[in-house]
């Protein structure tokens, strides 16, 4: 009897234990579901920038909200396999909230959310950080990061390890991850999330933060189009082949991309003490012009630049992807440079910012520029109150490029003067333009500072045209803005109704018909070549074939050809893929002809020095004082100094960009 009772009791205990375990698993699943829902809601509230907007988002797009929930939930299920599961569960949810907070803060500076691709730009971000944040703000952020790391380490150490039976616990993460992947695949296939939306902010608000940020981590480059095949590419190439019987017009071609430049007269409800862009307005009355649809708003200069130079669209790439960091970082692609080289052009890039920013120093070799004149190779540079180089320095650099060759030149110049963010208070700066129609004093100050900057930029365009007229070589100058400035403008406040449109104007010093035509930024260079009767590559022929008017067939063929040129077999290249070039830094030759020791001072004489020129001894950069374009000095050196002396152009991160000839100091 006792034996039977003992066995019965034991069996009952086992049953109760199994029931508790089953209920505990159910409790764990419910806990993870609630944590995922709460985390996703907090993240989305930061993304939508409003709790009420988040409720509206959940109500109007519940299936999109579920996609973010499943991604978070799948992560929790996988982390359940770890011994310190409680810590990693906490860390996973906290990480998503922290990333959303970073995005929320970044939006206040540039009106664009945070994507994984921003991390790829970190090395160049530190050089411009002082222009966005004060010293105390940088210190506060650094302190917050240190405290967060300390807190996480402290929690990790205090979290107890638990025994984990991986085999028994493997079912939940496998099923959850499988469900998540299937759901996302079908969501993408059946339009639950949008495949193509212009503008990073629109993508995040429509598709949710978690989905968009995860996509920016997972996806790079292009996905193969459904209809891609060698025969289809060959068919498209045959279809766009043209025989141009018109005579080609040989002329210098200059693209001038201006930071945050657009016709501010398009903003409704505002009035100005005078027209902030009188030169541009005058040019639009006399020369070909139109709206230019660009791929970004408030920031993202490099992607507009990429589209104009390459004739390709960044909308086919991953969310938040910067083409200069991924697409052309390692592989050359055909651009306007390669096309024009076949017609005898020399190709030059100019940018009055650091050479390393957006990876340009490396990327321009794959794009096909013969020379690259960055800020470190400019002369007589002046700076605005925020520390950005003024655009008038570009005039000398453009003139140098034109005078450096006997033939025709293609120049792509990028200005940075009117870069944001714009200050709330500039008591020591007298604005050239006053604005009416804004009640908020800080917003009024931001507008007036911005308007004063583009007023100077506009005047620079006029001065550049005067120089080009004196040059007398046939020249086409295409002036356009890269994107709208960083103001929270809604489309109803703009007379053209779009935050993704700037303007372009095409000036020339010879007879060209004045035509008004709206374009996409990736169509611009093809249109300019079209106007000069210059035969383009496959991409520009494609744009011409459809007369720059978008339709479904055009978009489909465009995507196929772009994929073929970047990720595919390269059939459209006809067996001749473009190659990288040895891009020369600067147009002027920096050289030294004499180096002398005068006590503890080393004096180096030569040509074409500037504020970024540094004396180097055996490759070591010495502390250098710039005296003039022909003389540098390094003080407090050893009196018995010996070795090879060079002059190197050194960026703000103390990295040597190039070096002159050397002289032996004995």
């Amino acid at each position: 009897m006792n034996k039977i009772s003992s066995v019965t009791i034991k069996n009952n205990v086992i049953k109760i234990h199994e029931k508790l375990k089953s209920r505990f698993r159910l409790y764990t699943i419910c806990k993870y579901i609630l944590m995922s829902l709460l985390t996703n809601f907090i993240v989305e509230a930061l993304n939508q920038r409003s709790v009420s907007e988040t409720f509206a988002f959940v109500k109007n797009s519940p299936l999109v909200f579920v996609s973010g929930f499943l991604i978070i939930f799948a992560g929790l299920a996988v982390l359940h396999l770890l011994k310190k599961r409680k810590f990693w569960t906490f860390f996973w949810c906290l990480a998503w909230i922290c990333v959303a907070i970073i995005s929320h803060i970044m939006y206040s500076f540039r009106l664009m959310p945070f994507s994984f691709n921003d991390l790829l730009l970190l090395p160049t971000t530190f050089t411009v950080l002082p222009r966005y944040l004060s010293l105390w703000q940088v210190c506060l952020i650094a302190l917050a990061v240190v405290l967060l790391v300390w807190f996480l380490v402290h929690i990790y150490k205090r979290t107890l390890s638990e025994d984990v039976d991986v085999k028994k616990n493997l079912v939940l993460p496998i099923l959850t991850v499988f469900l998540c992947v299937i759901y996302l695949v079908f969501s993408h296939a059946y339009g639950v999330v949008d495949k193509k939306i212009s503008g990073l902010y629109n993508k995040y608000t429509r598709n949710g933060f978690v989905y968009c940020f995860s996509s920016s981590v997972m996806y790079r480059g292009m996905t193969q189009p459904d209809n891609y095949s060698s025969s289809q590419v060959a068919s498209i190439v045959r279809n766009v082949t043209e025989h141009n019987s018109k005579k080609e017009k040989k002329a210098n071609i200059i693209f001038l991309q201006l930071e945050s430049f657009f016709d501010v007269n398009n903003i409704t409800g505002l009035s100005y003490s005078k027209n902030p862009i009188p030169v541009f307005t005058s040019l639009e009355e006399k020369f070909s012009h139109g709206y230019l649809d660009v791929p970004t708003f408030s920031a993202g200069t490099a992607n507009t630049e990429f589209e104009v130079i390459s004739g390709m669209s960044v909308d086919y790439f991953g969310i938040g992807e910067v083409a200069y960091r991924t697409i052309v970082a390692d592989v050359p692609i055909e651009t306007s440079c390669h096309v024009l080289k076949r017609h005898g052009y020399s190709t030059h890039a100019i940018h009055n910012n650091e050479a390393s920013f957006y990876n340009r120093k490396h990327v321009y070799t794959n794009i096909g520029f013969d020379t690259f004149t960055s800020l470190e190779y400019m002369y007589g540079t002046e700076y605005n109150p925020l520390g950005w180089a003024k655009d008038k320095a570009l005039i000398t650099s453009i003139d140098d490029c034109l005078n450096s060759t006997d033939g025709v030149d293609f120049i792509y110049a990028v200005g940075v003067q009117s870069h944001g963010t714009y200050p709330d208070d500039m008591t020591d700066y007298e604005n050239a333009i006053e604005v009416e129609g804004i009640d908020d004093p800080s917003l009024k100050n931001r507008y007036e500072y911005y308007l004063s900057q583009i007023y100077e930029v506009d005047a620079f365009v006029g001065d550049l045209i005067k120089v080009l007229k004196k040059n007398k070589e046939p020249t086409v100058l295409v002036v356009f803005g890269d994107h709208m400035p960083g103001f929270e403008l809604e489309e109803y406040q703009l007379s053209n109704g779009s935050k993704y449109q700037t303007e372009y104007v095409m000036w020339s010093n010879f007879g060209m018909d004045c035509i008004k035509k709206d374009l996409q930024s990736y169509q611009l260079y093809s249109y300019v070549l079209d106007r000069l009767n210059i035969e383009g590559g496959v991409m520009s022929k494609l744009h011409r074939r459809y007369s720059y008017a978008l339709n479904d067939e055009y978009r489909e063929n465009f995507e196929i050809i772009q994929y073929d040129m970047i990720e595919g077999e390269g059939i459209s290249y006809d067996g001749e893929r473009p190659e990288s070039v040895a891009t020369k830094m600067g147009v002027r030759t920096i050289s030294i002809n004499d180096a002398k020791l005068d006590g503890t001072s080393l004096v180096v004489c030569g040509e074409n020095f500037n504020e970024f020129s540094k004396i180097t001894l055996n490759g070591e950069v010495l502390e250098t004082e710039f005296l003039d374009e022909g003389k540098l000095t390094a003080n407090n050196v050893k009196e018995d100094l010996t070795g090879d002396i060079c002059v190197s152009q050194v960026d703000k991160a103390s990295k040597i960009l190039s070096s002159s000839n050397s002289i032996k100091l004995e």
Side-chain angles (χ1 to χ4, degrees):
M1 187 74 176
N2 290 337
K3 186 176 181 181
I4 295 173
S5 299
S6 175
V7 171
T8 303
I9 293 171
K10 185 177 180 181
N11 289 337
N12 288 335
V13 169
I14 292 172
K15 288 179 181 179
I16 293 170
H17 178 68
E18 290 299 322
K19 285 182 179 180
L20 287 173
K21 282 180 68 178
S22 177
R23 289 179 180 178
F24 179 74
R25 289 195 188 100
L26 182 61
Y27 166 76
T28 302
I29 293 172
C30 291
K31 180 181 72 173
Y32 284 169
I33 288 173
L34 289 173
M35 289 179 67
S36 301
L37 287 170
L38 180 61
T39 301
N40 194 32
F41 187 87
I42 294 172
V43 167
E44 206 52 52
L46 290 163
N47 181 48
Q48 301 289 339
R49 309 185 71 79
S50 165
V51 174
S52 60
E53 288 293 330
T54 307
F55 277 115
F57 173 75
V58 175
K59 179 183 177 182
N60 298 327
S61 306
L63 296 180
V64 176
F65 184 81
V66 168
S67 68
F69 155 75
L70 283 175
I71 292 171
I72 296 174
F73 182 65
L76 291 177
V78 172
L79 295 172
H80 187 69
L81 298 174
L82 302 179
K83 290 185 177 181
K84 293 197 175 188
R85 64 181 64 162
K86 290 181 179 178
F87 168 80
W88 290 112
T89 297
F90 170 75
F91 176 83
W92 179 247
C93 294
L94 180 65
W96 276 113
I97 293 171
C98 286
V99 171
I101 291 172
I102 292 170
S103 180
H104 187 87
I105 294 171
M106 286 184 66
Y107 180 86
S108 65
F109 287 105
R110 64 175 192 175
L111 299 183
M112 286 177 64
F114 179 62
S115 73
F116 179 76
N117 293 285
D118 288 310
L119 296 176
L120 301 177
L121 298 174
L122 273 180
T124 58
T125 300
F126 293 111
T127 61
V128 298
L129 201 60
R131 294 169 184 158
Y132 290 91
L133 301 172
S134 61
L135 180 60
W136 73 266
Q137 288 174 319
V138 173
C139 292
L140 192 63
I141 291 171
L143 179 61
V145 171
V146 170
L147 289 175
L148 179 61
V149 172
W150 173 85
F151 174 71
L152 290 173
V153 171
H154 179 71
I155 294 296
Y156 180 82
K157 289 180 178 178
R158 291 180 64 87
T159 303
L160 297 175
S161 296
E162 302 177 46
D163 292 331
V164 178
D165 190 331
V166 176
K167 290 183 179 179
K168 289 185 177 180
N169 288 278
L170 200 57
V171 176
L172 176 63
I174 289 176
L175 287 177
T176 306
V177 171
F178 178 76
L179 175 63
C180 180
V181 171
I182 293 298
Y183 185 86
L184 293 176
V185 169
F186 276 88
S187 295
H188 194 266
Y190 290 96
V192 173
V193 292
D194 298 289
K195 297 179 182 179
K196 295 286 186 296
I197 311 177
S198 295
L200 191 60
Y201 176 68
N202 290 340
K203 288 182 171 70
Y204 272 69
T205 54
R206 293 277 295 279
N207 295 327
F209 183 88
V210 175
Y211 171 81
C212 288
F213 188 84
S214 301
S215 295
S216 74
V217 175
M218 298 298 295
Y219 299 109
R220 294 283 187 280
M222 292 185 66
T223 302
Q224 181 173 308
D226 294 335
N227 296 333
Y228 178 77
S229 66
S230 57
S231 59
Q232 181 66 11
V233 174
S235 175
I236 296 171
V237 171
R238 285 195 303 271
N239 190 41
V240 301
T241 299
E242 58 186 23
H243 300 285
N244 188 6
S245 58
K246 296 180 181 179
K247 185 178 180 181
E248 178 181 307
K249 176 65 179 179
K250 285 287 187 180
N252 298 317
I253 301 173
I254 304 172
F255 280 75
L256 181 58
Q257 177 177 303
L258 301 176
E259 173 67 38
S260 301
F261 189 91
F262 83 114
D263 189 349
V264 292
N265 298 297
N266 284 340
I267 304 177
T268 59
L270 299 184
S271 60
Y272 314 111
S273 56
K274 55 185 173 183
N275 184 3
I277 52 169
V279 173
F280 194 83
T281 301
S282 175
L283 292 174
E284 285 185 306
E285 294 172 356
K286 302 173 185 176
F287 298 94
S288 296
H289 64 281
Y291 285 113
L292 190 69
D293 281 80
V294 296
T296 185
F297 171 74
S298 176
T301 297
N303 275 348
T304 300
E305 182 181 327
F306 170 80
E307 286 203 348
V308 175
I309 293 174
S310 68
M312 299 182 183
S313 172
V314 299
D315 281 346
Y316 296 124
F317 302 147
I319 292 177
E321 188 166 1
V322 179
Y324 281 4
R325 269 294 174 189
T326 55
I327 305 302
V328 286
D330 301 305
V331 180
I333 60 170
E334 184 177 84
T335 67
S336 51
C337 294
H338 299 99
V339 171
L340 288 169
K341 279 174 179 288
R342 295 198 288 266
H343 293 269
Y345 279 76
S346 299
T347 58
H348 314 274
I350 303 172
H351 186 33
N352 56 344
N353 201 1
E354 289 87 354
S356 60
F357 200 65
Y358 275 123
N359 204 30
R360 284 184 176 93
K361 182 181 184 295
H362 176 67
V363 164
Y364 281 166
T365 65
N366 288 332
I367 284 179
F369 284 112
D370 296 324
T371 71
F372 173 29
T373 303
S374 63
L375 177 64
E376 293 88 354
Y377 295 83
M378 293 184 175
Y379 300 88
T381 306
E382 297 178 18
Y383 298 85
N384 70 14
L386 295 184
W388 299 105
K390 292 192 174 184
D391 289 348
K392 61 183 180 181
L394 298 173
I395 295 177
T396 300
S397 298
I398 290 172
D399 197 41
D400 284 347
C401 290
L402 293 174
N403 294 326
S404 67
T405 66
D406 294 328
V408 283
D409 297 283
F410 169 60
I411 301 171
Y412 198 99
V414 181
V416 75
Q417 178 173 348
S418 43
H419 204 294
T421 59
Y422 309 113
D424 294 335
D425 182 21
M426 292 294 291
T427 53
D428 298 329
Y429 180 73
E430 185 176 349
N431 292 315
I433 306 288
E434 295 180 2
V435 61
E436 294 295 334
I438 300 176
D439 296 327
D440 183 354
S442 61
L443 181 59
K444 182 180 172 72
N445 284 333
R446 291 200 295 273
Y447 263 95
E448 290 187 346
Y449 174 82
Y450 164 73
L451 293 170
S452 296
Q453 292 304 308
I454 65 167
Y455 182 70
E456 287 189 17
V457 172
D458 183 78
F460 140 71
V461 173
D463 292 338
L464 173 61
I465 288 174
K466 290 176 184 177
V467 172
L468 296 177
K469 286 180 178 178
K470 290 179 181 178
N471 185 276
K472 295 183 179 180
E473 294 180 5
T475 301
V476 173
L477 171 68
V478 186
V479 184
F480 62 97
D482 58 353
H483 53 69
M484 294 274 284
F487 296 112
E488 294 194 47
L489 289 165
E490 298 300 329
E491 295 188 335
Y492 72 85
Q493 296 174 279
L494 300 166
S495 59
N496 57 314
S498 175
K499 297 196 298 183
Y500 292 91
Q501 281 186 336
T502 61
E503 290 85 14
Y504 77 92
V505 67
M506 188 161 56
W507 172 90
S508 66
N509 58 359
F510 56 91
M512 292 183 75
D513 294 336
C514 179
I515 300 173
K516 186 180 187 307
K517 189 171 186 64
D518 299 341
L519 298 167
Q520 304 290 322
S521 53
Y522 53 74
Q523 297 170 333
L524 185 58
Y525 101 75
S526 300
Y527 180 67
V528 174
L529 267 58
D530 198 357
R531 294 292 303 275
L532 294 173
N533 299 321
I534 298 175
E535 183 180 0
V538 173
M539 189 61 77
S540 55
K541 288 177 182 177
L542 178 75
H543 296 316
R544 292 184 194 182
R545 166 68 177 77
Y546 294 95
S547 301
Y548 313 100
L550 296 177
N551 58 47
D552 291 340
E553 181 184 293
Y554 179 7
R555 289 188 178 93
E556 181 180 327
N557 291 341
F558 182 21
E559 184 176 7
I560 289 171
I561 292 298
Q562 181 168 318
Y563 177 82
D564 181 68
M565 297 177 83
I566 293 176
E567 309 270 8
E569 300 176 31
I571 298 164
S572 52
Y573 286 131
D574 195 24
E576 295 184 11
R577 282 188 174 273
E579 296 181 355
S580 59
V581 299
T583 305
K584 178 180 181 291
M585 293 301 298
V587 173
R588 299 186 186 184
T589 299
I590 300 170
S591 61
I592 58 176
N593 50 43
D594 189 31
K596 292 182 180 179
L597 266 174
D598 184 7
T600 58
S601 295
L602 174 62
V603 180
V604 175
C605 297
E607 295 179 337
N608 298 318
F609 302 152
N610 67 10
E611 59 187 297
F612 293 93
S613 301
K614 305 295 179 184
I615 300 171
T616 57
L617 173 67
N618 299 324
E620 179 184 352
V621 179
L622 304 181
E623 188 174 340
T624 304
E625 181 183 355
F626 170 67
L627 300 177
D628 55 48
E629 291 187 18
K631 184 179 291 186
L632 303 171
T633 181
N635 299 314
N636 301 317
V637 299
K638 296 179 181 179
E639 295 186 12
D640 58 347
L641 206 64
T642 59
D644 293 322
I645 298 294
C646 289
V647 169
S648 301
Q649 298 306 109
V650 180
D651 66 15
K652 292 180 180 178
S654 301
K655 184 178 180 180
I656 294 176
L657 300 174
S658 67
S659 297
S660 70
N661 60 306
S662 63
I663 287 182
K664 195 79 172 178
L665 189 67
E666 299 177 341

